[in-house]
Amino acid sequence: MSIVGVTASASPLFALAAGLLGILLCILAELLIARLLPRLGVLPGIRTRITTAALTGVLCAAFALRFGVDWSLPAFLALGVLAVQLARIDLAHHLLPNPLVLSLLFAGLALLTLSSTATSGWVELLRAAAGAAILFVVFLILAIISPNGIGMGDVKLAAPVGLYLGYLGWSQLFYGGALGFVLGGIFSVVLISLKRTEKSSEVAFGPSMLAAALGMVLFAS
């Protein structure tokens, strides 16, 4: 049973195919980013590219096992591919490029709309739109209150994160948003203890938001 109805379960072969597709999309995404966003520099090093490809492949295979042969699967494959790229860039440059954040938002909205059209899952789509708006407003308020803790890139990223979490359910939206702060705090403490940074405001928060969202997608029912 999926969030939008009964779906066929995924076979290991189907998951493997999804994983391989994720690796190919990861390679394509990195090439396009290097070409269309030159301010980020050339392609990352080979070790980073292998890591991101492997991580994307594992995520896409896990999504295939999680959702099975479901209309919503393409939307979550897009999440896996773009989340890894956004996390990579934020860790390296402390930047969440608008084109990538908007790509995740509009790709997710378009693919989830397609899924809702095919399955008449309009309640899920409306909840997803509400989730995007709610999480965006919450992060915007937090950024106004504490500009050193939340950046505008994080505020904008909250919209697609809220979209996906809202599609899953209200509890996923609440706990996914809260978990991002927990992971961000843990990540900050670890980096400060390792003397990789001197204060928490210097730690990229985007990866924690994305990790929390991915965790909720994969493990929250």
Side-chain angles (χ1 to χ4, degrees), residues 3 76 79 112 124 127-132 135 139 157-180 208-218 220:
I3 56 178
F76 288 94
L79 172 63
L112 291 177
E124 289 83 3
R127 192 175 59 224
L135 208 61
F139 270 72
L157 181 61
V161 168
L163 179 80
Y164 279 96
L165 291 176
Y167 186 78
L168 294 175
W170 293 116
S171 61
Q172 286 87 342
L173 177 66
F174 175 79
Y175 289 114
L179 182 59
S208 298
M209 295 173 62
L210 293 164
L214 293 169
M216 293 302 295
V217 172
L218 288 174

Side-chain angles (χ1 to χ4, degrees), residues 59-68 73 76-77 79-80 214 217-218:
L59 281 173
C60 289
F63 286 150
L65 291 173
R66 165 73 169 84
F67 294 101
L73 179 59
F76 288 94
L77 295 181
L79 172 63
L214 293 169
V217 172
L218 288 174

Side-chain angles (χ1 to χ4, degrees), residues 144-162:
I144 293 172
I145 295 173
S146 178
N148 291 328
I150 300 292
M152 289 309 298
D154 303 322
V155 173
K156 287 175 280 191
L157 181 61
V161 168

Side-chain angles (χ1 to χ4, degrees), residues 10-24 56-58 60-62 64-65:
S11 67
L13 186 60
F14 180 75
L16 177 61
L20 292 175
L21 176 61
I23 291 174
L24 292 175
T56 304
V58 169
C60 289
L65 291 173

